[in-house]
């Protein structure tokens, strides 16, 4: 853990709030934030700047404010950038992921405070408090990890480590006791390393699933006014109403309701109708609708199917063409006459009625399909407990990829030992355990060695 | 601290210089003439400290007490490092080797290692004559029985005949002799080694000073008469057809005729004999041995009991000298009664009429927990007192010699008022071993293994000189002429690498490898299927093959080395954060009680070392980091 690298973390408490703040501190804070935050105006010291949060592909995740604070007059004593975004856990997570992908390291518990202390930003008497904080947070994290690790994750990580350790034992045995232990076959080692790498890749994907299970899935319902958005939301929530609690949105004009599909909590935001308007209040509502749309993982576009397609509907359809969405043409009732179906360019659009249970079931299925690629969500399967776990598994997987490259190139087997040990150590951060001692115990238990 | 007020007539020393106080007999006293003591005494004297080597029997200095082999996996790297720093072991084995082989050649450049068998008497003689010719060095025949400490600092040793030898620094290299007992069945003898008296007073002296002592066990196999074996029934292991010197400074020639070794396999009759006689084993039925033995060097009893499913075990029969009548029976270490040992030997192929010249035995001895030591190998408890070798719980000639070299250097430096030498894990196997010892302690005899060296990609046999010779020269252990040869070698290596990167070879085919336009010699050397010899002719100027092989390794390893160096650089910050020697861990409430106790006991020198103490959590280290910073801030610069 170096104090010369740049760290990032979500600064606001978990859960929903009006805004979320994602912080980034360290020598590269401005560079890293600059890859995630786009604005017309440059970031000035201690000036809030409006702009877009974008993902690695340049796609906008959200709009928000960035505030850059230059060292040393910051809480950490380092260059610091704060990104103020809309208060959705998913948006905050994606923003953080963007910073990590751009080169930041996930902050350790209490690390912002600790850096502040180390840079002389805190009173000396705060040292005990910082130490208390670290001790307390690590205990809390350990308890949380233990709770999660009792289940499948521990078994899965342990079995990956066991597989790696077995290979390392065979390598080390053959290297340190060449007269007594035969060298493992490189082809066989390749197959075994590949199996572990695949298991870790699957676990990484399950990491996404874990996130879904913890935080739910955000859905923005958008469309022109009076297309049937609210009645659709009511219909979606209706059968779940007994098990979900309605929750007012943070603004007067967007309503959030939650319901479950496959055990995943879907947080649906019913937005103000989108159309051009001169009314200032209505324009504010539409601005928020667009922000909700940008932040949501999936858009559900509702268009009146009983009337000819008008400009607002065309605008919404055009504006959302590039993003994950479901288009639903709402026929008010079976008897009404819609416009000519050939007029709609929307392949794969759904037709139906918000009053027809079959239509609602189709929409629910479509949400699941688009939302989690129809992979079965099984809450009893192991998933990674947090970004630190995801990072550890990713680090392990990358190390194994390097080992596989080395083996594929026909290089001597010893050259993979470092990567296998690194992978095992990364996984050890999840479950604990020192590589070297376990390894030696294994060698001496398995091989009869010694002259 | 004890204070031996006994007035003693100090024997007058011949070798003195201006740094000694007139009452001292020497600046450095080395106790014990095994492989640790030899390196310690040679290094201290070479560095200019007036040195006395106290040996119970000077004619047994540098005895190879167990197997005849020097080097092997990881141990071979230690020997290369000893040589690169300016130690003597590599040159001693090069002058006396009767069989040498490269190990792990196909497994990767970072684990290649050299092993050689010595002519045992020739090796000991070579060491003794080397010491006899050393300026500043005197050998005293005596058993050191007690330590004299005044005001927390060592003042000298007292010998069995009551003489008080005074010195600023004392290096203890007592091997297996402290409180030693040997076992052959129910036959228990007070011996440090076959037929040699143990050191009984020194354990008590160390105990009185507060050093925690514990017991370890090791063993040695029987020796057989080479004329009584029918080698036609054994499989032969041939030595390398070309000379393989350990030392960068040795000529590439054989020390004498090269001899083969032999492999025999045990069988069910051998194993039955072991099982039938377990009741007579001091390890099993008799239950006489308390010390913990090495898992990597189990007795034949252990092999048969713990690996009962193995139908056979390999036995390595090795000559102990050109003119020695004895062969060493490797892999057959045992403490069963001598009559059973002979019966067991006779079950081996080619050994129906074998004559046993000496029975194997187990030896149990005291060691001092090495967490008592600073990485300079000075004890924290007594200033000027250094521990090395088996006294620290290690096993093996190479491990002992490496520690002896460091202890000798640091004892001399302390006596001469120079700074201590501490080698980090990233510099060497030596540094890795010492860090393991002082931060983790030992619970079985410690052997160097490649798997202990996380930085082994950069700690290779081939580059020991690049890593350590500049240090050895700066210390004054590597003479200028040898350093000039090293510099020439280093420059030639650099030139060869640059030529390989610069020289275009493509488009072409070399053996099965195809190269496109723009390919360089370096690209060819990165192909695992090609050797330096395959491309040697393509260099614009002829390259010395030894330099070419090294350039090949460096080019092929480049990517791995870069990754390893990045990991080392990342760890460097914590390795540089030193912890004050008297830091009060007990006062930090945020540390768990277990962490406080461990830190108090080990007293790591740096935050990096603290993180390696088994059982300490990342949170403990984070707390420590914060508290250390507070101390640094509160001390005015």
């Amino acid at each position: 853990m170096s104090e010369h690298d740049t760290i990032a973390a979500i600064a606001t408490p978990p859960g929903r709030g009006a805004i979320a703040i994602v912080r980034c501190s360290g020598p590269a804070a401005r560079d890293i934030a600059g890859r995630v935050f786009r604005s017309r105006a440059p970031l000035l010291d201690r000036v809030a700047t409006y702009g877009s949060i974008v993902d690695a592909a340049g796609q906008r995740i959200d709009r928000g404010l960035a505030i850059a604070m230059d060292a040393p007059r910051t809480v950490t004593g380092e260059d610091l950038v704060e990104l103020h975004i809309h208060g959705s856990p998913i948006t905050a997570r994606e923003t953080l992921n963007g910073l990590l992908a751009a080169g930041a390291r996930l902050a350790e518990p209490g690390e912002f405070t600790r850096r502040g202390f180390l840079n002389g930003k805190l009173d000396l008497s705060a040292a005990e408090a910082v130490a208390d904080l670290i001790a307390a947070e690590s205990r809390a994290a350990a308890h949380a990890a233990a709770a999660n690790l009792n289940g499948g994750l521990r078994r899965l990580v342990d079995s990956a480590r066991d597989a790696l350790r077995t290979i390392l034992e065979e390598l080390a045995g053959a290297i340190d006791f060449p007269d007594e232990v035969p060298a493992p076959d490189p082809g066989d080692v390749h197959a075994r390393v590949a199996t572990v790498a695949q298991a870790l890749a699957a676990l990484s994907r399950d990491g996404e699933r874990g996130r879904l299970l913890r935080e739910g899935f955000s859905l923005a319902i958008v469309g022109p006014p009076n297309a049937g958005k609210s009645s659709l939301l009511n219909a979606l929530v209706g059968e779940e109403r007994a098990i979900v609690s309605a929750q007012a949105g943070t603004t007067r004009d967007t309503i959030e309701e939650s319901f479950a599909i496959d055990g995943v909590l879907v947080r649906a935001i019913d937005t103000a109708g989108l159309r051009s308007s001169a009314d200032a209040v209505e324009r504010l509502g539409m601005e928020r609708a667009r922000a909700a749309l940008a932040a949501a993982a999936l858009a559900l576009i509702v268009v009146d199917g009983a009337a000819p397609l008008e400009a607002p509907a065309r605008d919404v359809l055009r504006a959302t063409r590039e993003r994950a969405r479901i288009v639903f043409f709402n026929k008010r009732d079976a008897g009404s006459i819609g416009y000519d179906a050939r007029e709609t360019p929307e392949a794969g659009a759904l037709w139906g009625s918000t009053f027809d249970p079959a239509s609602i079931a189709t929409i629910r299925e479509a949400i699941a399909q688009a939302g989690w690629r129809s992979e079965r969500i099984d809450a009893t399967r192991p998933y990674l407990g947090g970004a630190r776990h995801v990072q550890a598994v990713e680090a392990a997987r990358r190390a194994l990829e390097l080992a596989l490259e080395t083996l594929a190139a026909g290089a001597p087997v010893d050259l993979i030992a470092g990567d296998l040990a690194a992978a095992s150590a990364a996984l050890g951060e999840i479950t604990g355990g020192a590589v070297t001692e376990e390894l030696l115990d294994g060698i001496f238990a398995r091989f009869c060695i010694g002259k | 601290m004890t204070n031996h007020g006994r007035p003693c007539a100090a024997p007058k020393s011949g070798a003195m210089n201006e740094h000694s106080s007139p009452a001292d007999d020497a600046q450095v006293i080395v106790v014990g003439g095994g492989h640790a003591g030899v390196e310690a005494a040679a290094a201290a004297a070479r560095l200019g400290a007036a040195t006395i080597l106290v040996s119970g029997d000077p004619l047994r200095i540098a005895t190879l007490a167990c197997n005849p082999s020097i080097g092997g996996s990881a141990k071979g790297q230690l020997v290369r490092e000893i040589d690169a720093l300016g130690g003597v072991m590599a040159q001693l084995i090069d002058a006396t080797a009767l069989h040498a082989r490269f190990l792990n050649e196909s497994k990767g450049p970072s684990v290649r290692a050299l092993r050689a068998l010595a002519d045992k008497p020739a090796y000991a003689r070579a060491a003794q004559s080397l010491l006899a010719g050393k300026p500043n060095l005197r050998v005293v025949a005596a058993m050191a029985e007690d330590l004299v400490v005044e005001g927390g600092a060592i003042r000298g040793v007292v010998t069995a005949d009551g003489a008080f030898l005074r010195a600023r620094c004392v290096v203890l290299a007592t091997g297996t002799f402290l409180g030693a007992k040997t076992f052959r069945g129910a036959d228990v003898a007070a011996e440090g080694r076959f037929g040699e008296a143990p050191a009984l007073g020194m354990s008590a002296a160390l105990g009185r000073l507060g050093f925690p002592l514990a017991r370890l066990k090791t063993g040695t196999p029987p020796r057989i008469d080479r004329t009584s074996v029918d080698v036609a029934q054994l499989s032969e292991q041939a030595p390398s057809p070309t000379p393989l010197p350990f030392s960068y400074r040795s000529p590439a020639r054989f020390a004498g005729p090269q001899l083969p070794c032999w492999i025999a396999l045990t069988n069910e009759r051998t194993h039955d004999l072991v099982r039938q006689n377990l009741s007579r084993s001091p390890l099993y039925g008799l239950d006489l041995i308390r010390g913990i033995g090495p898992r990597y060097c189990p007795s034949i009893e252990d092999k048969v009991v713990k690996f009962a499913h193995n139908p056979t075990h390999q036995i390595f029969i090795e000559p102990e000298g050109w003119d020695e009548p004895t062969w060493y029976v490797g892999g057959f270490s045992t403490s069963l009664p001598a009559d059973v040992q002979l019966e067991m030997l006779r079950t081996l192929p080619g050994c129906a009429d074998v004559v046993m010249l000496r029975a194997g035995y187990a030896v149990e001895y005291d060691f001092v927990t090495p967490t008592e030591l600073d990485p300079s190998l000075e004890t924290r408890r007594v200033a000027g007192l250094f521990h090395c070798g088996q006294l620290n719980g290690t096993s093996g000639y190479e491990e002992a010699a490496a520690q002896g070299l460091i202890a000798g250097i640091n004892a001399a430096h302390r006596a001469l008022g120079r700074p201590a030498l501490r080698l980090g894990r990233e510099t060497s196997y030596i540094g890795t071993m010492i860090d393991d010892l002082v931060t983790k302690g030992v619970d079985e005899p410690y052997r160097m293994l490649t798997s202990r060296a996380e930085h082994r990609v950069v700690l290779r046999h081939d580059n020991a000189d690049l890593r350590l010779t500049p240090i050895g020269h700066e210390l004054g252990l590597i003479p200028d002429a040898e350093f000039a040869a090293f510099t020439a070698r280093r420059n030639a290596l650099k030139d060869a690498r640059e030529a390989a990167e610069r020289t275009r070879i493509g488009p072409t085919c070399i053996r099965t490898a195809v190269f496109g336009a723009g390919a360089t010699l370096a690209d060819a050397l990165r192909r695992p299927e090609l050797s330096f010899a395959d491309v040697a002719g393509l260099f614009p100027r002829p390259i010395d093959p030894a330099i070419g092989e090294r350039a090949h390794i460096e080019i092929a390893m480049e990517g791995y080395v870069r990754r390893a160096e990045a990991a080392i650089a990342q760890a460097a910050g914590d390795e540089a954060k030193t912890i004050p020697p008297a830091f009060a861990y007990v006062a930090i409430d945020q540390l768990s009680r277990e962490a406080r106790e461990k830190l108090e006991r080990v007293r790591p020198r740096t935050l990096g070392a603290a993180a390696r103490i088994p059982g300490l959590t990342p949170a403990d280290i984070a707390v420590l980091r914060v508290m250390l910073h507070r101390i640094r801030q509160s001390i005015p610069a």
Side-chain angles (χ1 to χ4, degrees):
Chain A
M1 190 168 53
S2 155
E3 281 137 39
H4 306 296
D5 56 3
T6 298
I7 53 170
I10 300 171
T12 37
R16 304 189 60 83
I19 57 163
I21 299 175
V22 182
R23 279 202 298 192
C24 181
S25 174
R30 270 174 170 272
D31 287 351
I32 288 171
R35 262 170 266 168
V36 174
F37 183 79
R38 300 271 162 82
S39 60
R40 287 215 195 95
L43 293 186
L44 301 175
D45 187 24
R46 290 172 173 74
V47 175
T49 308
Y50 181 73
S52 302
I53 314 292
V54 294
D55 64 16
Q59 290 284 330
R60 190 165 70 217
I61 298 168
D62 196 3
R63 285 198 172 106
L65 297 175
I67 304 168
M69 287 159 271
D70 292 342
R73 289 192 302 132
T74 66
V75 286
T76 55
E78 305 172 325
D79 283 350
L80 185 76
V81 179
E82 287 186 356
L83 300 174
H84 294 231
I85 54 177
H86 291 94
S88 139
I90 292 172
T91 314
R93 169 79 60 177
E94 285 182 4
T95 305
L96 175 60
N97 281 346
L99 292 171
L100 300 181
R105 172 172 67 69
L106 188 68
E108 308 272 333
E111 195 173 2
F112 281 90
T113 320
R114 191 157 72 237
R115 286 186 174 207
F117 170 73
L118 295 182
N119 288 315
K121 287 289 157 182
L122 299 175
D123 193 276
L124 285 181
S125 66
E128 276 86 0
V130 175
D132 279 339
L133 178 75
I134 295 165
E137 291 203 19
S138 75
R139 271 195 299 275
H143 286 147
N148 186 14
L149 290 172
N150 285 336
L153 178 62
R154 163 144 232 141
R155 273 196 299 282
L156 216 147
V157 170
D158 280 349
S159 89
R161 290 192 82 210
D162 284 348
L164 296 178
R165 201 172 61 218
T166 305
I167 299 168
L168 280 168
E169 280 165 19
E170 290 168 13
L171 286 174
I175 288 161
D176 280 326
F177 305 96
D179 289 332
E180 293 126 302
V181 180
D185 171 59
D188 174 55
V189 171
H190 188 279
R192 287 153 71 193
V193 173
T195 305
V196 177
Q198 280 154 17
L200 293 184
L203 192 59
S204 274
R205 285 198 299 276
D206 279 347
E208 291 295 319
R209 219 165 298 175
R211 206 174 294 163
L212 277 175
L213 286 169
R214 283 192 312 281
E215 296 177 359
F217 179 81
S218 62
L219 176 76
I221 303 180
V222 291
N226 302 321
K229 298 187 296 295
S230 297
S231 54
L232 176 57
L233 180 58
N234 285 338
L236 285 168
V237 173
E239 61 192 84
E240 305 281 346
R241 202 171 283 284
I243 60 160
V244 300
S245 62
Q247 184 184 9
T250 51
T251 64
R252 197 159 44 87
D253 47 0
T254 60
I255 304 298
E256 184 175 313
E257 294 268 5
S258 300
F259 57 95
I261 302 176
D262 291 354
V264 175
L265 197 67
V266 179
R267 300 176 181 283
I269 300 163
D270 179 16
T271 65
L274 292 171
R275 61 172 173 179
S276 47
S277 168
D279 181 282
V281 173
E282 196 172 350
R283 266 171 38 203
L284 189 61
M286 284 189 291
E287 186 56 42
R288 290 195 176 125
R290 289 201 180 89
L293 178 61
L298 181 66
L300 176 52
I301 317 294
V302 184
V303 177
D304 185 355
L309 215 51
E310 287 175 1
R314 289 180 197 279
D315 289 348
V316 173
L317 288 170
R318 196 170 45 245
T320 58
R321 193 159 291 156
E322 298 300 318
R323 58 155 303 148
R325 66 171 189 180
I326 296 167
V327 177
F328 177 63
F329 287 100
N330 184 18
K331 293 191 289 182
R332 295 304 176 85
D333 57 72
S336 64
I337 301 159
Y339 63 90
D340 188 344
R342 282 169 304 181
E343 253 195 84
T344 167
E346 308 307 328
L350 304 176
W351 288 77
S353 164
T354 54
F355 303 117
D356 177 7
S359 294
I360 299 305
T362 307
I363 291 172
R364 288 170 61 90
E365 181 56 29
I367 292 170
Q369 282 286 342
W372 39 98
R373 294 182 190 81
S374 75
E375 283 184 53
R376 293 282 310 158
I377 299 290
D378 179 354
T380 63
R381 267 175 64 180
Y383 62 88
L384 297 172
R388 283 157 67 78
H389 287 179
V390 174
Q391 274 195 338
V393 169
E394 266 306 293
R397 204 187 51 74
R398 275 196 305 274
L400 295 185
E401 293 299 334
L402 290 173
L404 289 171
E405 271 175 41
T406 297
L407 285 167
V413 285
D414 172 54
L415 293 178
I416 69 166
D419 290 322
L420 297 194
S424 189
L427 294 176
E429 286 173 19
I430 300 178
T431 57
V435 181
T436 311
E437 296 314 310
E438 288 178 4
L439 181 70
L440 294 180
D441 290 345
I443 294 171
F444 296 129
R446 286 179 66 200
F447 302 112
C448 180
I449 289 165
K451 294 187 186 176
Chain B
M1 300 296 161
T2 58
N3 181 349
H4 295 255
R6 192 165 16 156
C8 290
K12 274 287 137 209
S13 155
M16 297 293 278
N17 66 27
E18 69 278 11
H19 297 287
S20 305
S21 93
D24 282 356
D25 300 285
Q27 289 171 304
V28 173
I29 292 173
V30 177
V31 179
H35 304 283
V38 166
E39 293 287 356
R46 169 96 187 110
L47 292 175
T51 304
I52 289 177
L53 172 59
V54 180
S55 164
D57 183 351
L59 288 176
R60 303 222 204 191
I61 284 175
T63 297
L64 295 161
C66 190
N67 63 57
S69 119
I70 299 273
S73 184
K75 291 164 169 273
Q77 279 90 326
L78 282 176
V79 179
R80 289 283 273 189
E81 292 176 354
I82 291 168
D83 181 59
L85 261 182
V88 299
M89 178 172 255
Q91 288 177 310
L92 293 175
I93 177 65
D94 287 344
T96 57
L98 54 74
H99 173 117
R101 268 195 312 139
F102 238 123
L103 308 178
N104 294 334
E105 280 200 276
S106 65
K107 288 172 195 152
S110 51
V111 294
R112 264 171 222 165
L114 193 51
R115 179 165 66 202
L117 305 183
D119 178 298
K120 285 182 164 185
Y123 185 96
R125 277 195 308 274
Q128 289 161 23
S129 66
L130 182 139
L131 295 182
K134 277 262 174 221
N136 299 333
L137 179 62
R138 197 158 63 95
V139 176
V140 170
M143 286 298 273
E145 284 289 322
D146 205 350
L147 298 170
V148 181
V149 174
E150 286 172 12
I154 196 80
R155 287 302 297 131
V157 301
V158 178
T159 63
D161 48 18
F164 176 21
L165 298 175
R166 293 168 202 270
R168 195 85 58 82
C169 291
V170 171
V171 177
L172 290 185
T174 48
T176 60
F177 279 71
L178 291 197
K181 281 189 223 170
T182 59
F183 301 83
R184 297 163 193 82
D187 173 12
V188 183
E191 291 179 313
R193 212 155 55 186
F194 173 75
E196 292 182 66
L200 297 174
M202 193 58 82
S203 288
L206 289 165
R208 272 199 309 275
L209 290 168
F211 286 103
L213 291 135
R215 302 286 278 174
L216 287 175
K217 171 248 162 187
T218 187
T220 195
R223 313 297 200 271
I224 54 177
D225 183 337
R226 67 177 181 183
T227 60
S228 65
V229 180
D230 176 11
V231 294
Q233 296 183 50
L234 305 175
S235 59
E236 186 179 319
Q237 240 183 349
S240 161
T242 52
L244 297 172
F246 273 96
S247 174
Y248 290 100
R249 299 172 271 169
S250 292
R253 63 166 180 260
F254 290 123
Q258 298 296 288
L259 308 179
C261 297
W262 312 92
I263 296 176
L265 297 176
T266 62
N267 53 52
E268 272 312 311
R269 283 197 301 138
T270 330
H271 302 177
D272 284 343
L273 279 169
V274 170
R275 282 187 285 263
Q276 285 158 19
N277 289 287
L278 279 181
S279 60
R280 300 173 67 195
S281 155
L283 207 53
Y284 285 90
L286 300 175
D287 196 21
L288 297 172
I289 296 177
R290 288 278 161 271
I292 297 159
R295 286 178 298 176
Y296 46 81
C297 198
S299 61
I300 188 72
E301 296 91 296
D302 275 341
K303 291 182 186 185
V304 169
V305 172
K306 292 181 181 157
F307 293 87
H309 53 280
N310 283 19
T312 180
H313 295 278
Q314 282 192 101
I315 302 301
F316 301 85
I317 298 179
E318 298 171 337
E320 295 202 306
W322 285 297
D323 301 317
E324 283 297 286
T326 55
W327 277 358
Y328 178 87
V329 189
F332 213 72
S333 169
T334 179
S335 54
L336 286 166
D339 58 331
V340 182
Q341 293 188 27
L342 178 61
E343 263 192 281
M344 282 159 51
L345 285 169
R346 291 194 164 164
T347 65
L348 298 178
C351 295
D353 302 312
V354 81
V355 175
M356 185 171 77
L357 293 177
R358 205 173 93 190
Y361 58 87
V363 57
E364 196 189 47
Y365 54 96
D366 291 331
F367 78 104
V368 175
T369 310
T371 54
E372 288 285 321
L373 303 172
D374 178 89
S376 65
L377 297 182
E378 185 174 1
T379 66
R380 288 195 310 271
R381 213 172 277 278
V382 178
L385 179 63
F386 294 78
H387 289 179
C388 56
Q390 279 166 306
L391 178 61
N392 288 339
T394 63
S395 84
Y397 310 138
E398 305 82 355
E399 288 86 346
Q403 293 169 66
L405 177 59
I406 300 300
I409 290 169
N410 284 322
H413 273 205
R414 188 183 169 84
L416 300 171
R418 297 180 199 156
L421 172 71
R422 298 183 182 91
L423 296 176
R425 297 181 75 87
E426 74 290 351
T427 66
S428 54
Y429 274 82
I430 299 178
T432 302
M433 168 176 67
I434 291 177
D435 180 71
D436 278 348
L437 292 174
V438 304
T439 58
K440 298 176 183 167
V442 298
D443 41 27
E444 71 176 320
Y446 178 100
R447 174 184 164 166
M448 196 71 244
L449 297 165
T450 59
S451 49
R452 300 192 199 270
E454 69 277 28
H455 304 307
R456 70 176 188 243
V457 164
V458 293
L459 307 182
R460 301 189 309 270
H461 170 94
D462 60 282
N463 70 2
D465 58 343
L466 296 180
R467 294 184 276 122
L468 298 172
T469 295
I471 298 174
H473 180 245
E474 203 186 311
L475 292 171
L477 286 176
I478 300 280
D480 290 342
E482 284 171 16
F483 188 67
F486 159 76
T487 312
R489 217 158 52 223
R490 185 169 60 184
N491 292 340
L493 178 59
K494 186 162 165 281
D495 291 347
R497 282 189 66 173
E498 284 169 5
E501 296 289 354
R502 231 180 17 242
T503 308
R504 298 204 178 277
I505 56 163
T508 186
C509 287
I510 304 171
R511 290 174 175 263
T512 55
V514 182
F515 296 94
T520 63
L521 255 179
D523 293 328
L525 288 170
R526 285 186 193 103
R527 295 286 180 87
E529 65 268 35
L530 296 181
S531 69
F532 168 72
D534 292 325
V535 302
L538 299 173
F539 277 87
R541 271 182 308 171
I543 304 274
D544 172 357
I547 294 294
E549 302 282 0
R550 290 183 64 171
H552 179 197
I553 292 172
E554 293 202 341
I555 289 168
M557 297 284 288
E558 216 167 30
Y560 301 96
V561 167
R562 241 196 329 266
R563 254 145 65 195
E565 283 174 346
I568 290 169
Q570 214 186 353
D574 283 352
E575 298 300 330
K577 288 196 180 70
T578 52
I579 304 176
F583 191 74
Y585 299 100
V586 278
I588 304 178
D589 296 337
Q590 291 85 356
L591 291 171
S592 67
R593 203 180 63 188
E594 190 195 359
R596 272 179 273 167
E597 281 170 4
K598 284 188 168 150
L599 287 162
E600 284 286 343
R601 195 162 59 237
V602 175
R603 297 220 148 263
R605 267 195 92 248
T606 66
L607 196 58
R612 286 189 290 275
I613 297 174
L616 256 61
T617 66
D620 293 329
I621 300 306
V623 167
L624 201 51
R625 185 191 306 277
V626 168
M627 302 313 275
L628 281 173
H629 209 85
R630 188 183 66 157
I631 285 190
R632 227 162 288 145
Q633 288 188 335
S634 61
I635 297 169

